[in-house]
Amino acid sequence: KGHTQLRLSQMKLAVNFLTIGLVILSLPCGSYTEIPPKPPGSVTVLPPVKPAGGPQAFPDAENSNLPVFTMDYARIQVPFEVTLWVLLASFAKIGFHVYHKITFWVPESCLLISIGLIVGAIMHSVHEEPPAVLSYNVFFLFMLPPIVLESGYFMPTRPFFENVGTVLWFAVVGTLWNSIGIGMSLYAVCQIEAFEVQDINLQENMLFAAIISAVDPVAVLSVFEDVSVNEQLYIVVFGECLFNDAVTVVLYNMFIFVADMPVVEPVDVFLGVARFFVVGLGGMGFGVIFGFVASFTTRFTSNVREIEPLFIFMYSYLAYLVAELFSISSIMAIVTCALTMKYYVEENVSQRSCTTIRHVVKMLGTISETLIFFFLGVVTITTEHEWNWGYIMFTLLLALVWRGLGVLVLTQIINPFRTIPFNFKDQFILGYGGLRGAISFALVFTLPDSIGRKKLFLTTTICMIMFTVFIQGISIRPLIEFINVRRTNRNLETINVEIHSRLIEHTIAGVEDLCGQWSHYYWKDKFLKFNNRILRKILIRDNRAESSIVALYKKLELQNAMEILDTVSGDINAGSSIVSLQYVYPLSPSSSCSLSLSLYFALSLILLLSLSLACSPSLSLSLVLSLTLSCSLFCSLFCSLSLSLSLSLSVFVH
Amino acid sequence: MYLSVLDSRQSLFCSSVSFEQIGILHKRFKQLSHNEDTLRRDDLNTIPDLSCNPIRTQIIEAFFDKRNFHQNGEGTVQEISFEEFLVVMSHFRPPALDMTEEQREIIRREKLRFLFNMHDTDNDGTITLEEYRHVVEELLSRSGALGKETAKGIADAAMLEVASISMGHMEPDEFYEGITFEHFLKILKDIEIETRMNIRFLNMDTTNLCK
């Protein structure tokens, strides 16, 4: 434990120096952009600095020599600011994990939104616009695909296909129920004169309801991935938030189209239903096609191993973009593409490429998620709001009520068809875990301005997101423990368990064949046969049909070998050292953790100040800011230095 | 005649199987046994869908194993009646929604006992290394040309795992004889067998569709 603390302090020192470097880089930027463009006709009293826009001929009046040191901020401005924002969000993430207890009780999404709120407040006070990250194009083309790819790639396939009926039932019918219910009720609420919202007509209400009734994958996954509920519940929640996109797309487009029209005809409703099938099945179809093409491509990449991971990313992104081209459900396309691709690609590519793919997919997904929540916090402060107590409170209430009702009714209908029915505890978590997130916000943000009450909708969406993410997100973990939902132990990687899982599957398939009772095991068996006979021959390079038992056995042997190597090289007898190291560490964990915590928050503050510095126009403000930031920088430097010094001293003493 | 059978065995299935479903199973039984009252091994061997199942022999043996008839018998029989057929099928009933933890535990033990009997072919109450190897070989027999050595290696690793979990640290000269039922329960306690080893009995008459 002392070793890790020492390494931690070294890491902090390195981070400090990095921050110093970044800050120094950005300081002159502040003073540089403060030079305003000169109106024509006035006398130039400029110091001999090169103007923005690259190399230009100097004015003849100035006789200057070859400049030794030049700067051109405008050229690198966009990539530079992007990198700084990403770094800032990542520093915040490091900071949260220093103190382990926080992330246990408060999901990361909440913490990121809070930091975003602080940054947004600062940007608002210096009258600066945040970068347009949550605008339609940037969000849906760059921020969302990595997250959905990550969730599709790491989706547990066996539980998914066993529960696919329930997942689709909740995703489609549940979202429809919520949208129509909330829309109608909100329209009824609008008729109440006291709330002054009578100008919102039925179409606009339905449009708004369609936007906020969709459960958001980003928010849900960030909360549920640490909480271990039983497998069936997890996969239904997981699958629902990914597959409700088809319904949301259809409803959104339908109501946008209809919001301008004064009268809705029955033909339009019928067309909407037809469109839903096109969107949903088309999305899945495109995903499967691109998945197969990707698998087929990787069959031939044995000589270009370095770029193998590229194909995965390019094909899945292509699936997403082509789906967006035809306005069909791009989320479903990319998820099905990842699901189809994963099985065949991981057999074709080399071990290193496989690791790279998994790692990069996870990294991109995490970064995207971090940025999305961060910017949710920022834009909360910087957009214009319109507050209306009645509308907002009723929206929150109705959303909760309709979701609860929906889960109850739908579960009653589908329980008889399930092998393992959902009990009331499962249903409660299913209803309570319906968090809303950034997708709703992005959709509201890009509503056409012809909708009169757009600002009200924005404010309500933000309230909805904050309410669900903070209150429901924080309380769901204690609730799960309190009501004692059936949990799954996810550490099932022993050979015996794998052997017996296969044994059970074959037994059930056999007994079902014997007594003529078919269920999904039968279809699974048939599909596996088709897979082995046809698909594998086409899509996999050398068709060595490997049982999962053998695969697991190899993996475990490899792990064992690596563990042996680790202990031998470390030269520590594992049993006794942990006990002895416990008493080496003198500084109490809690105080050092709080110190480190404050240190990281200080670092984050420093970075954001440097960012605002880069954008601020006035000289005095930038001077003040640079003074404050240098002070805080030196304070934090001093703190970390003293901490590491004290730690090393104590280690030596003992 | 089968109504009396149904009365006595309805309690076995609790509330998870209805009269209609037992009727359909009876029809299937008649179809398999060619309208006789008892079922033989050969009747089951001729089911075409079952032929590509790697553990076909074990499954068929399980139906003729007296230990699965809940009457504390041992050994095997040559033919079974519909009653005994239902008793074997009852191992696959799903737990009802309103069951208590003890009832779930009983069902879990029953299903794991079924699997244990599938392994323990010589009836001595333990699964020896040879029996385990045999099962692993059968399981892997359909997937590629794996030598017997791989199956042996895997079975050895699995036994080692069981030994380390059940017995903890063993002296070098100690010998692990075989997996007893209690050890079997211990290593498979995380597998949630009561939710996975179920057959959903349909209300649809599928006898015309099977061969």
Side-chain angles (χ1 to χ4, degrees), chain B residues 88-126:
Chain B
V88 177
M89 289 302 299
S90 75
H91 283 98
F92 294 98
R93 70 185 189 279
L97 249 186
D98 50 353
M99 279 195 170
T100 63
E101 195 52 42
E102 294 96 40
Q103 285 174 318
R104 276 182 186 266
E105 187 61 36
I106 295 175
I107 292 190
R108 206 176 297 149
R109 280 184 85 101
E110 208 181 274
K111 294 187 200 275
L112 283 172
R113 185 89 223 175
F114 186 83
L115 284 182
F116 189 83
N117 292 341
M118 270 176 75
H119 286 297
D120 185 20
T121 42
D122 61 356
N123 263 335
D124 60 352
T126 56

Side-chain angles (χ1 to χ4, degrees), chain A residues 132-149 210-211 214 216-218 244-246 248-249 252-253 316-325 328-332 334 368 372 437-447:
Chain A
V133 169
L134 291 182
S135 70
Y136 191 73
N137 274 342
V138 174
F139 181 74
F140 279 103
L141 292 182
F142 298 114
M143 308 289 286
L144 193 57
I147 298 178
V148 192
L149 177 63
I211 295 175
D216 185 87
V218 184
N244 63 18
D245 181 60
T248 311
V249 165
Y252 182 79
N253 287 323
S316 33
Y317 197 46
L318 211 60
Y320 187 84
L321 291 175
V322 169
E324 281 280 319
L325 167 68
I328 58 181
S329 168
S330 43
I331 293 186
M332 286 177 79
I334 203 174
S368 260
I372 287 180
I439 294 186
S440 318
F441 184 79
L443 286 173
V444 174
F445 204 61
T446 53
L447 279 176

Side-chain angles (χ1 to χ4, degrees), chain A residues 283-304:
Chain A
M284 289 204 273
F286 272 115
V288 169
I289 292 175
F290 274 101
F292 280 142
V293 173
S295 321
F296 190 64
T297 314
T298 50
R299 190 177 163 178
F300 303 105
T301 56
S302 51
N303 292 323
V304 285

